[in-house]
Amino acid sequence: MSARGRADGRGPSTLSLRDRLTLLATGVVAVALVAGALALSAVIGASRVAALDDVVRARAATVAALVADDRVPDPLPVAEPGEVAQVLDAGGGVVASSATASRTLPVLDAATVAAWRRDAGDAVLVRTTGASAYDAQARVAVRAVTLDGAPATVVASVPLDEVRGVLDATRLALLLVVPVLTLGVALLVRTLLGRALAPVEDLRAAADRVALAGGPGSLPVPAADDELAALARTLNAMLDRLEASAARQRAFVADAAHELRSPVAAARAAVEVARAHPDAYPVDELLADLGPEVARMQALVDDLLVLARVGATPVPRAPVDLAAAAGEAAASAAPAADARAVALEVVGAGSALGTDDGVRRVLRNLVANAARHATTRVQVTVAPARVTVDDDGPGIAPADRERVFERFVRLDDARVRDAGGSGLGLAIAREVARDLGGDVVLGDAPAGGLRAVVTLPAVPAAGPRVRTPGAVADDGSSRGRPPRTPTPETT
């Protein structure tokens, strides 16, 4: 079997879904028809036997009444075809008989009559017997009476040949009808399934074409607004998301390769110069030239790893002290801020639901970005489930405030590459915040610079720990690695 055949789950001897459903439905219908036929035969037989019982019981009662009135006619009256009525004495001899029986041959032998008479008592006993002298199978009623002061027995019987004939005819008819109905149901089910599964086959063929093309595509949506149409729309939305994700991945890889090219090229050039002119390129100068480029590559690789891990695995979330996280972020950005004479201030208090590592990563990136671009001052305002970072720098135009959250995006104005960073800081901050159930939005600061507002889920009143997907630790501690020195980010 080919790989394609195995992938489809179908082989030369494997039935299609349409055939399997047809066989299943036909089997169920066939079983139902057979069970119905058997039940119908049983009902017909039982009803006919019950009717015969009424006949022989009524006949026995009628003859018993005649005997009691000492008005026994000769012959005894009967009405049904094959019906026999007799009055037998204590020795089993025939005292009176219907015209359908012999006056010398009793319906039942004396021993049987005596046994049934004892079982009947004062009532009428009706049984099926094959010991009748006149029929192979018959329903016989027996009733005890007194004739001329001596015990006697009234016996009435009707043959069961008619019942067997009716049942045989019914079974023959059903034997012919059930296969025809089963075949008809099979053809009808297969036709209906073919029509019902036609959209599924269209979806499969379209999906196969998309898979073979290895590129964008869409699946046909059935005209009927049913479950298959909903499935097709869902699959098309999934294909669109996959295509968008693939496009972002391709762009991300291209951007990452482009970003790494410069520091790698600079480091390689420094190494080649040192190799070619070891005397003219002291080790101290080589290390001084390589250090920034290596640090830049390390920061970029660390940021790429953080982005790759965001949302990859669920982590437990718990209340986080936002004031403490903001203080740590300000302390991390303090060296860069002091070098530019920028004052950092943290005010307020509050908590939110999240992870320590995730919240600290978001605030470190935003505070570092603000400190890098502020003119004189950065203020971090903490409130429950909310942190605001304001700077007095050049700010960002409203038209660019969403674009700066894209990976490796840098603006052409005052917030440029020369300020440092890898171009992933704001992208990481928003993705981590959204993974925690919050968001990061940009606006205008009161001092004219940029305002970044972080919103996170509020802590419930009782403060329970909630296990939901959260941010992945940026320092690797959640995976058992030693923490890294935080690296500030920028847009």
Side-chain angles (χ1 to χ4, degrees), residues 220-422:
V221 178
D225 190 13
D226 53 10
E227 290 82 356
L228 289 178
L231 174 63
R233 288 192 292 268
T234 301
L235 291 176
N236 281 331
M238 180 187 69
L239 288 176
D240 292 341
R241 289 193 296 269
L242 289 176
E243 176 58 24
S245 176
R248 288 195 302 269
Q249 188 70 19
R250 289 191 296 269
F252 180 65
V253 172
D255 290 340
H258 176 74
E259 294 295 325
L260 287 171
R261 185 178 296 116
S262 296
V264 170
R268 180 177 180 179
V271 170
E272 290 179 351
V273 170
R275 181 184 294 114
H277 308 284
D279 296 334
Y281 206 155
V283 174
D284 293 342
E285 293 182 11
L286 175 62
L287 296 178
D289 291 339
L290 290 179
E293 303 301 334
V294 172
R296 182 179 171 187
M297 286 188 290
Q298 179 184 0
L300 180 59
V301 171
D302 289 344
D303 289 343
L304 293 176
L305 290 175
V306 169
L307 285 173
R309 292 200 302 263
V310 169
T313 56
V315 294
R317 296 198 319 199
V320 177
D321 187 345
L322 296 181
E328 180 182 309
S332 176
D338 292 342
R340 301 182 60 250
V342 173
L344 292 174
E345 181 183 8
V346 178
V347 297
S351 60
L353 202 62
T355 63
D356 287 336
D357 295 329
V359 172
R360 281 170 168 75
R361 161 66 73 168
V362 173
L363 296 183
R364 276 202 305 269
N365 286 8
L366 295 179
V367 173
N369 183 72
R372 186 176 296 114
H373 301 290
T375 302
T376 60
R377 185 170 180 268
V378 173
Q379 179 171 315
V380 182
T381 305
V382 179
R386 182 185 179 94
V387 178
T388 303
V389 181
D390 293 319
D391 67 62
D392 59 353
I396 297 177
D400 294 324
R401 287 174 185 168
E402 283 299 315
R403 191 167 64 90
V404 295
F405 287 109
E406 298 176 8
R407 300 173 181 182
F408 298 111
V409 169
R410 297 183 183 85
L411 304 181
D412 296 330
D413 56 12
R415 293 179 181 255
V416 295
R417 176 181 304 197
D418 293 339
S422 63

Side-chain angles (χ1 to χ4, degrees), residues 40-445:
L40 179 61
S41 299
V43 169
I44 292 176
S47 63
R48 187 56 187 161
V49 169
L52 295 179
D53 289 350
D54 292 340
V55 169
V56 295
R57 187 177 285 109
R59 185 64 56 202
T62 299
V63 173
L66 292 174
V67 172
D69 293 341
D70 196 17
R71 294 187 295 109
V72 180
D74 188 19
L76 296 176
V78 292
E80 293 294 327
E83 183 182 359
V84 173
Q86 290 182 332
V87 178
L88 307 179
D89 58 21
V94 178
V95 176
S97 176
S98 64
T100 56
S102 171
R103 292 184 62 87
T104 60
L105 180 63
V107 174
L108 300 174
D109 59 82
T112 301
V113 171
W116 286 24
R117 178 187 174 96
R118 288 193 302 270
D119 294 340
D122 296 331
V124 178
L125 176 66
V126 180
R127 286 179 176 174
T128 298
T129 181
S132 172
Y134 298 94
D135 302 291
Q137 291 284 329
R139 289 292 284 179
V140 180
V142 174
R143 180 169 181 175
V145 295
T146 301
L147 179 63
D148 297 332
T153 305
V154 175
V155 179
S157 74
V158 289
L160 289 176
D161 295 341
E162 180 188 358
V163 176
R164 288 201 303 269
V166 171
L167 292 179
D168 291 342
T170 303
R171 289 165 182 164
L172 180 61
L174 293 175
L175 186 62
L176 297 176
V177 169
V178 167
V180 173
L181 287 178
T182 301
L183 180 60
V185 169
L187 295 177
L188 178 62
V189 169
R190 197 171 195 281
T191 301
L192 294 178
L193 284 175
R195 295 181 179 178
L197 294 177
V200 177
E201 175 60 23
D202 293 340
L203 290 175
R204 187 208 63 78
D208 197 27
R209 289 193 296 270
V210 172
L212 291 176
S218 61
L219 305 181
V221 178
D225 190 13
D226 53 10
E227 290 82 356
L228 289 178
L231 174 63
R233 288 192 292 268
T234 301
L235 291 176
N236 281 331
M238 180 187 69
L239 288 176
D240 292 341
R241 289 193 296 269
L242 289 176
E243 176 58 24
S245 176
R248 288 195 302 269
Q249 188 70 19
R250 289 191 296 269
F252 180 65
V253 172
D255 290 340
H258 176 74
E259 294 295 325
L260 287 171
R261 185 178 296 116
S262 296
V264 170
R268 180 177 180 179
V271 170
E272 290 179 351
V273 170
R275 181 184 294 114
H277 308 284
D279 296 334
Y281 206 155
V283 174
D284 293 342
E285 293 182 11
L286 175 62
L287 296 178
D289 291 339
L290 290 179
E293 303 301 334
V294 172
R296 182 179 171 187
M297 286 188 290
Q298 179 184 0
L300 180 59
V301 171
D302 289 344
D303 289 343
L304 293 176
L305 290 175
V306 169
L307 285 173
R309 292 200 302 263
V310 169
T313 56
V315 294
R317 296 198 319 199
V320 177
D321 187 345
L322 296 181
E328 180 182 309
S332 176
D338 292 342
R340 301 182 60 250
V342 173
L344 292 174
E345 181 183 8
V346 178
V347 297
S351 60
L353 202 62
T355 63
D356 287 336
D357 295 329
V359 172
R360 281 170 168 75
R361 161 66 73 168
V362 173
L363 296 183
R364 276 202 305 269
N365 286 8
L366 295 179
V367 173
N369 183 72
R372 186 176 296 114
H373 301 290
T375 302
T376 60
R377 185 170 180 268
V378 173
Q379 179 171 315
V380 182
T381 305
V382 179
R386 182 185 179 94
V387 178
T388 303
V389 181
D390 293 319
D391 67 62
D392 59 353
I396 297 177
D400 294 324
R401 287 174 185 168
E402 283 299 315
R403 191 167 64 90
V404 295
F405 287 109
E406 298 176 8
R407 300 173 181 182
F408 298 111
V409 169
R410 297 183 183 85
L411 304 181
D412 296 330
D413 56 12
R415 293 179 181 255
V416 295
R417 176 181 304 197
D418 293 339
S422 63
L424 294 174
L426 290 180
I428 291 175
R430 170 169 278 189
E431 290 199 24
V432 172
R434 287 182 173 178
D435 196 50
L436 292 174
D439 202 356
V440 177
V441 295
L442 302 181
D444 293 321

